Amino acid sequence: MDFQLIIVLAIVLLAVPYAWSQIRAGWKSGDSNHHCDHCPANPETDSSDRKGRF
Amino acid sequence: MTIIDLKIGSLATIDRIDGADDFTNRLADMGLGPQVPVRVIRVAPGGSPYLLKINDFYISIRRDDAARIRVVSA
Amino acid sequence: MTGMKPISIALIGNPNSGKTAVFNQLTGLNQKVSNYPGITVEKKIGMGTFSDGRPFRILDLPGTYSLVPDSLDEQIVSEQTLNWSLDLDRPDVIVAVVDASNLRRNLLLVTQISDLGIPVILALNMADRVHHDISDDMLTGLENGLGLWKAIPLVAIKGKGFKELKAELQSVGEKTAVRLPVYAGLDKEAFHPLETWLTSELGFPRDWCRAQALRLVCKSGYSDLVRAQLEKIGHSAVENWTEFMSIRDSIRSQTPNWRSLPAGDAGKRYAHIDAVLTKIKWGSDDPLNRRSRSERADAWLTHPVLGPLIFVLLLVFIFQAIFSWAVVPMDWISQAMDWLNAGLHRGLPPGPLRDLLTDGILAGVGSIVVFLPQILILVFFLTLLEDSGYMARVAFMLDRFMSRMGLHGRSVLPLMSGYACAIPGIMATRTIDSWKERLITILILPLMSCSARLPVYALMIGAFIPNQKIGGIFGLQGLTLVSMYFLGTITALIMAKVFSRLIRKEKTSSFIMEMPPYRIPLMRSVGNQVILRGKLFLKNAGKIIMAVSIILWFLASYPKVDSGSGPVNNIERSFAGTLGHVIEPVIRPLGFDWKIGVGLVTSFAAREVLVSTLATMYNVADEQDDVLDLRTALRMDTDPATGKPRYSVLTALSLMVFFVFAAQCMATFAIVRHETNSWKWPLFMVTYLTVLAYLASLVVYQGGLRLGWG
């Protein structure tokens, strides 16, 4: 098989899991960063007493 | 007389603030209380909020809240 | 000198007193400094070493006016000070950062902190804006009158006074705080049982006990907070909470005016502060009669008629600039891409590897990087508006309108930061202290066109909107761009109104906002923001866009078709082409063909990937060696069946409108899920945005066809 084609296939095969990991990283950056206990919380899912405003 | 009865630009002294809730406590925390002089600087388009000057700083509060600040003109 | 226990320092102060600037000076970090109250919504920790080698650790807390939390972004400070009084992470020294030009109001918090019994250094920030000299006698007067370890004048943004501050931080020791007069016009007898309970159960310092007793009785929200905090750290006092409740109820029944006691306490503290300030002759004679420069500027900038007009003109100017200023640097980037492409063609033999590098990676990544200048210009202006203090004026001018729309004056800054990216915008909604208004702001935020959409708009406008002037001033291209932003913004406001009707009502909120003085933005700080955004954009281009481009190149290049004289590319029959043709029937009514269909699929990785996807596909299909100009390629593309151009102005408009509305951002979905702590709201958001996008595009395209614009 063509030498260039082998390299290309290797790159493409590496790119697939890499792209997936990047998409997951994007998800995680939204989901886990900047945790905040103190912000106005969703009263429907906030189990503490601190609902809505003071 | 309350803040909203004052003309824009006029100076007055706070007499008392009606009610006892988060709003009045917050104003007290910021130093608005009896005998404190206040100037009405501006009213935003649509008649609310008000821009007030106290000491060296400016705060904006909504019209309904401004109507709770009783004043005597200076 | 390693292994030493670091000196633990805490920064506390009013909003907009410059704590973050002090933090940056002490740690050498570059946290975002802003001129908008409440920009620090989280605590930040920094480390450093003093000149003698002793390490230190600094905690920067969000700004607060008082230790009694009135809004939720202030809870963090209350919880922290509560922990300290329970001997958890108690700092060695507190630096109380105050705006020296506004000392009276800033000192209330200082008197409350003194109750903790931790040494306090008073950092008189913005000392250059005080209208009189600051004498040593004044400083001594403050130290003695308020029981401070030391009072030091600073100009944090210029780095002045930090030698003295650092020296004091190193030598900090115990100094008995001055016993302040007993505050709180309260019946001591009545409060005595609670003070005793707090001392025995929680081991609070004495003055702290007094202040806490008052807050716990008057604010049910505060006692809930204390309870939650005790529970969190597993304190045994939680078990005796019913005891606390019964003591509290008996005090309340004995004290008819208990609700207004915090205001009374603040009044007493202010009386003490006024006495100290009068004694040292601090303060200008007649601040209310002196019109500050900010006040004079505001006569124009917040004028009932001129104010909003200036705001709109500013926005139009910014979007014009995005087009006109970026032309030259964009050309440089394109030329660099051409040069790279030519180099690759000279250096590599023809074959799939060369095609991957040129048609795949270079075309894909290059088509995105070219928009870097426009994004930097946008971020530059947005940062300028915020740092100058103008954004607070916009909040002031729009509060009435915003509240009619079910939003809040404080929604303005998050929405405007949404023009850069929805993520920081959603973060900034934390300063809105009503859940309903916050939720509505979050739900409509993706409608504010973020910078990732800019490449899509810019490509379509550049390709299909003629570069003409209207009325000799406004360029048609710039105006088209502005109208896309307006379309998103106006829809956002309409949706806010709709949602405010649908979402369960709660208590009406109030709007108390300090109006910061105008300041000339620090170029260093603006530059940092611009560089940060630019880096993020390039990082995205280097990672996700590169990866998607590689995969897409492969999907668009294979399988090769046998043309008799050997396998050749036929993009229509490639994997990508097949996928596109499957989608095509769904998007045909919007005027989109299969190529855009592929782009819509890949743009779920990141919006701007649409552009790189088109670039890769056109370059794969193209037999020439050069990198195609994507704009030209789009214009020249013809439908082989009819011989007519495939795309028109109408297609471009329809596609842009689709991008105004469509929810194609994983990270936004994730942060909405996180911030609302539910799957319901992010799913709802994506659904309404997708429906909106499809319908709006359909109306634009079909309506345009009926009008004969196709």
Side-chain angles (χ1 to χ4, degrees):
Chain A
M1 207 155 72
D2 181 356
F3 174 65
Q4 281 205 5
L5 192 61
I6 295 170
I7 297 181
V8 164
L9 282 177
I11 294 176
V12 173
L13 285 177
L14 283 175
V16 174
Y18 184 72
W20 178 241
S21 76
Q22 286 304 309
I23 290 170
R24 272 180 60 93
W27 169 265
K28 278 194 183 151
S29 76
D31 192 42
S32 63
N33 259 353
H34 323 291
H35 184 67
C36 175
D37 292 328
H38 316 280
C39 307
N42 183 349
E44 290 162 37
T45 54
D46 187 21
S47 55
S48 77
D49 295 334
R50 293 177 285 131
K51 284 177 185 157
R53 303 158 38 84
F54 258 112
Chain B
M1 194 164 59
T2 71
I3 292 280
I4 60 169
D5 301 316
L6 293 170
K7 274 207 204 101
I8 306 302
S10 58
L11 196 66
T13 306
I14 297 176
D15 181 30
R16 66 192 157 84
I17 300 169
D18 286 344
D21 57 13
D22 289 347
F23 172 75
T24 51
N25 286 332
R26 166 59 73 92
L27 287 191
D29 285 345
M30 294 179 88
L32 282 79
Q35 272 100 58
V36 172
V38 56
R39 188 185 280 287
V40 183
I41 301 293
R42 192 173 313 288
V43 181
S48 175
Y50 277 64
L51 184 64
L52 308 178
K53 186 173 188 182
I54 294 102
N55 306 125
D56 282 300
F57 69 96
Y58 302 86
I59 62 165
S60 72
I61 57 175
R62 286 184 177 156
R63 188 187 161 86
D64 295 348
D65 294 330
R68 291 167 58 183
I69 304 179
R70 302 200 172 270
V71 293
V72 284
S73 37
Chain C
M1 297 253 257
T2 47
M4 259 187 188
K5 192 176 162 289
I7 300 178
S8 159
I9 304 163
L11 292 183
I12 286 197
N14 279 188
N16 234 28
S17 60
K19 280 183 316 304
T20 305
V22 172
F23 179 84
N24 285 348
Q25 285 288 351
L26 286 172
T27 57
L29 294 173
N30 273 321
Q31 291 288 349
K32 185 173 176 350
V33 182
S34 167
N35 193 15
Y36 188 90
I39 203 69
T40 307
V41 287
E42 301 169 294
K43 50 185 178 184
K44 288 182 291 232
I45 294 170
M47 308 283 191
T49 347
F50 289 121
S51 50
D52 65 357
R54 258 193 99 171
F56 64 84
R57 181 177 172 276
I58 300 188
L59 179 71
D60 183 20
L61 291 167
T64 179
Y65 293 107
S66 158
L67 287 187
V68 193
D70 281 317
S71 77
L72 285 133
D73 57 314
E74 294 176 336
Q75 282 186 44
I76 197 164
V77 183
S78 299
E79 288 183 6
Q80 198 71 43
T81 49
L82 198 62
N83 277 353
W84 297 344
S85 58
L86 293 165
D87 243 351
L88 291 170
D89 308 317
R90 197 174 161 89
D92 299 311
V93 54
I94 293 173
V95 178
V97 182
V98 296
D99 172 355
S101 66
N102 219 328
L103 197 54
R104 179 180 186 264
R105 194 201 64 215
N106 277 259
L107 286 181
L108 177 86
L109 181 67
V110 179
T111 67
Q112 295 177 334
I113 292 165
S114 304
D115 294 340
L116 278 163
I118 298 169
V120 176
I121 294 180
L122 187 72
L124 293 154
N125 193 18
M126 311 185 208
D128 54 341
R129 297 207 288 120
V130 178
H131 293 278
H132 52 80
D133 288 336
I134 301 174
S135 67
D136 288 347
D137 286 348
M138 287 176 173
L139 297 176
T140 319
L142 284 172
E143 287 159 12
N144 294 336
L146 298 166
L148 306 165
W149 168 254
K150 191 81 190 170
I152 302 168
L154 287 182
V155 186
I157 54 167
K158 290 183 185 151
K160 280 189 197 158
F162 280 84
K163 236 167 92 184
E164 294 81 353
L165 177 60
K166 281 185 182 166
E168 285 305 328
L169 285 171
Q170 284 175 78
S171 68
V172 82
E174 294 301 325
K175 182 174 183 178
T176 327
V178 168
R179 186 110 2 256
L180 292 167
V182 178
Y183 294 120
L186 45 86
D187 184 353
K188 265 193 281 177
E189 289 289 295
F191 277 75
H192 196 71
L194 186 53
E195 285 174 31
T196 313
W197 190 85
L198 290 174
T199 324
S200 61
E201 288 287 333
L202 301 172
F204 280 167
R206 207 192 71 153
D207 288 347
W208 186 248
C209 252
R210 292 237 159 106
Q212 290 297 302
L214 176 77
R215 289 165 203 165
L216 286 167
V217 168
C218 303
K219 289 224 153 192
S220 304
Y222 187 65
S223 55
D224 292 346
L225 172 93
V226 170
R227 201 212 142 117
Q229 190 64 12
L230 291 175
E231 225 159 48
K232 202 155 111 193
I233 61 172
H235 199 286
S236 58
V238 181
E239 289 151 29
N240 299 331
W241 200 251
T242 44
E243 213 174 289
F244 161 80
M245 294 299 267
S246 67
I247 299 174
R248 185 185 76 174
D249 292 343
S250 103
I251 297 176
R252 282 186 177 178
S253 63
Q254 291 170 53
T255 324
N257 64 336
W258 59 271
R259 275 177 207 279
S260 57
L261 286 176
D265 175 56
K268 287 259 165 73
R269 288 175 190 263
Y270 272 112
H272 179 74
I273 292 164
D274 284 335
V276 171
L277 292 181
T278 313
K279 198 170 155 201
I280 62 170
K281 298 195 177 59
W282 182 284
S284 38
D285 311 332
D286 196 5
L288 289 187
N289 278 326
R290 201 192 44 243
R291 285 182 86 200
S292 62
R293 262 187 297 177
S294 286
E295 204 178 313
R296 284 196 295 260
D298 271 337
W300 296 95
L301 293 173
T302 61
H303 185 277
V305 181
L306 288 178
L309 192 71
I310 292 173
F311 177 54
V312 170
L313 284 179
L314 260 175
L315 288 186
V316 172
F317 167 77
I318 291 170
F319 291 122
Q320 286 293 160
I322 289 173
F323 263 96
S324 48
W325 295 8
V327 172
V328 175
M330 285 173 84
D331 277 349
W332 292 341
I333 297 174
S334 310
Q335 278 160 17
M337 291 296 158
D338 289 345
W339 178 82
L340 267 175
N341 182 53
L344 285 170
H345 274 106
R346 271 197 308 276
L348 285 172
L353 181 59
R354 191 174 84 175
D355 290 346
L356 170 66
L357 291 176
T358 57
D359 297 341
I361 296 173
L362 197 60
V365 175
S367 67
I368 291 301
V369 172
V370 81
F371 294 105
L372 180 66
Q374 295 188 325
I375 283 168
L376 296 187
I377 293 171
L378 176 72
V379 176
F380 171 77
F381 280 115
L382 286 180
T383 315
L384 222 55
L385 289 184
E386 188 183 319
D387 286 9
S388 63
Y390 183 70
M391 222 48 129
R393 271 73 186 177
V394 178
F396 170 73
M397 286 191 287
L398 295 184
D399 179 62
R400 177 79 169 180
F401 178 66
M402 287 294 190
S403 61
R404 277 197 192 148
M405 289 294 161
L407 296 165
H408 194 276
R410 283 193 181 269
S411 306
V412 174
L413 180 86
L415 291 176
M416 293 285 288
S417 19
Y419 284 143
C421 174
I423 310 289
I426 289 170
M427 292 282 297
T429 61
R430 290 175 177 187
T431 56
I432 304 170
D433 53 11
S434 125
W435 163 250
K436 181 183 165 184
E437 286 163 348
R438 180 167 180 234
L439 176 65
I440 295 174
T441 313
I442 290 174
L443 288 177
I444 60 166
L445 235 148
L447 287 166
M448 310 303 285
S449 284
C450 64
S451 56
R453 273 173 267 194
L454 192 53
V456 179
Y457 298 155
L459 173 70
M460 289 295 152
I461 290 174
F464 294 103
I465 306 291
N467 188 8
Q468 290 169 354
K469 292 262 180 207
I470 290 183
I473 322 166
F474 300 117
L476 190 58
Q477 295 188 328
L479 281 182
T480 311
L481 185 66
V482 177
S483 48
M484 288 306 139
Y485 281 87
F486 268 79
L487 177 64
T489 312
I490 286 165
T491 312
L493 295 173
I494 294 171
M495 292 318 291
K497 183 79 195 167
V498 173
F499 293 152
S500 69
R501 289 276 165 83
L502 295 178
I503 296 171
R504 199 164 41 82
K505 283 251 180 221
E506 66 176 33
K507 187 167 130 191
T508 51
S509 64
S510 59
F511 174 71
I512 305 181
M513 192 169 89
E514 194 191 343
M515 198 67 71
Y518 286 109
R519 275 169 213 163
I520 307 260
L522 266 189
M523 277 307 141
R524 183 161 37 90
S525 150
V526 176
N528 279 333
Q529 263 319 100
V530 172
I531 290 169
L532 180 77
R533 270 283 134 219
K535 266 191 195 155
L536 277 175
F537 180 73
L538 288 181
K539 222 160 92 186
N540 222 8
K543 289 179 165 178
I544 194 153
I545 291 172
M546 169 117 84
V548 173
S549 296
I550 292 171
I551 297 166
L552 198 81
W553 170 86
F554 178 80
L555 294 179
S557 306
Y558 294 91
K560 306 251 182 206
V561 195
D562 203 332
S563 69
S565 60
V568 295
N569 279 341
N570 184 337
I571 193 163
E572 299 252 351
R573 293 213 223 146
S574 68
F575 297 121
T578 315
L579 171 76
H581 284 296
V582 171
I583 305 167
E584 201 172 4
V586 184
I587 54 172
R588 192 72 258 179
L590 312 183
F592 305 157
D593 71 336
W594 67 271
K595 284 200 190 89
I596 293 179
V598 175
L600 290 181
V601 172
T602 53
S603 65
F604 271 93
R607 284 188 175 94
E608 64 268 40
V609 171
L610 175 94
V611 174
S612 63
T613 300
L614 289 176
T616 299
M617 286 194 293
Y618 276 108
N619 278 284
V620 169
D622 179 41
E623 303 290 320
Q624 307 295 314
D625 279 351
D626 56 333
V627 174
L628 278 177
D629 176 44
L630 190 51
R631 285 173 294 186
T632 321
L634 285 172
R635 271 198 301 265
M636 304 302 279
D637 194 359
T638 50
D639 189 342
T642 59
K644 282 189 189 155
R646 220 191 268 266
Y647 306 119
S648 62
V649 181
L650 201 54
T651 330
L653 285 176
S654 172
L655 185 66
M656 283 192 282
V657 166
F658 190 87
F659 268 75
V660 167
F661 297 124
Q664 296 150 300
C665 178
M666 279 297 230
T668 305
F669 185 84
I671 199 167
V672 172
R673 204 213 75 78
H674 182 74
E675 296 283 320
T676 63
N677 194 19
S678 80
W679 285 98
K680 179 174 120 189
W681 292 116
L683 286 172
F684 170 75
M685 186 184 82
V686 168
T687 313
Y688 97 80
L689 287 172
T690 310
V691 171
L692 210 56
Y694 193 88
L695 290 180
S697 272
L698 190 70
V699 168
V700 167
Y701 188 71
Q702 296 300 333
L705 282 184
R706 301 282 183 283
L707 292 171
W709 292 352

